[in-house]
Amino acid sequence: MLQALRHISSRPRGLQSCQYTTPSAQNSIYISNSTNPYFNLTFEDWLFRHKAAEEPLLLIYRDDPCIVVGRNQNPWKEINFRALRERPGVLFIRRRSGGGTVYHDLGNTNFSIHLPRTEFDRRVTAQIVLRAVR
């Protein structure tokens, strides 16, 4: 299962040296090679629960077609289930974290940033993501 992950070291130019690995405290950027939304959202939750808040990290992933509902969302209000039934293969998944309802597919790249609230800066965070996807 961990073969589906690629880690990139926290070195600034580390994006060029990738290898398959087991997650460790030394890594700050994870790129999932899996498009399984169950795997990706479970791994995101695992990172959130097991990595120290002082160790910022970035997870980048793409999912097969699915609708992802946030922890506090009411799926009966958020999802058109009649339309969903007409699209076999589109999964409906609840994310353990907050946020709204979103549609994922292979045409968009998703990211999750974990860092202490006191360190969050929207511009700095956007630059981190931009550098990682380049």
Side-chain angles (χ1 to χ4, degrees):
M1 179 158 84
L2 292 176
Q3 289 291 327
L5 295 173
R6 207 170 24 143
H7 93 270
I8 300 172
S9 70
S10 58
R11 294 174 303 179
R13 297 189 178 208
L15 290 173
Q16 296 149 356
S17 62
C18 300
Q19 63 186 26
Y20 293 100
T21 187
T22 302
S24 73
Q26 300 169 358
N27 301 322
S28 61
I29 300 173
Y30 298 89
I31 299 174
S32 175
N33 293 329
S34 173
T35 59
N36 181 317
Y38 293 111
F39 174 85
N40 289 329
L41 291 174
T42 300
F43 186 62
E44 176 185 46
D45 184 64
W46 185 89
L47 286 170
F48 180 76
R49 293 175 184 280
H50 291 90
K51 294 284 283 188
E54 306 80 47
E55 299 172 9
L57 66 90
L58 170 65
L59 170 64
I60 300 173
Y61 61 97
R62 289 191 176 136
D63 286 330
D64 291 327
C66 63
I67 297 171
V68 181
V69 179
R71 177 184 63 214
N72 300 314
Q73 301 303 119
N74 180 344
W76 304 110
K77 291 183 177 181
E78 299 288 328
I79 298 172
N80 180 339
F81 282 100
R82 184 178 299 146
L84 183 61
R85 278 191 294 276
E86 295 171 3
R87 292 174 176 79
V90 176
L91 303 172
F92 155 48
I93 303 169
R94 182 173 294 278
R95 176 177 58 245
R96 290 190 61 128
S97 62
T101 300
V102 293
Y103 176 78
H104 289 186
D105 65 16
L106 297 176
N108 68 298
T109 300
N110 307 293
F111 65 90
S112 178
I113 294 182
H114 300 217
L115 65 142
R117 288 182 192 262
T118 57
E119 294 182 23
F120 180 76
D121 178 298
R122 190 172 304 278
R123 289 183 182 161
V124 172
T125 302
Q127 288 302 313
I128 291 169
V129 174
L130 186 58
R131 282 195 315 261
V133 296
R134 285 188 174 162

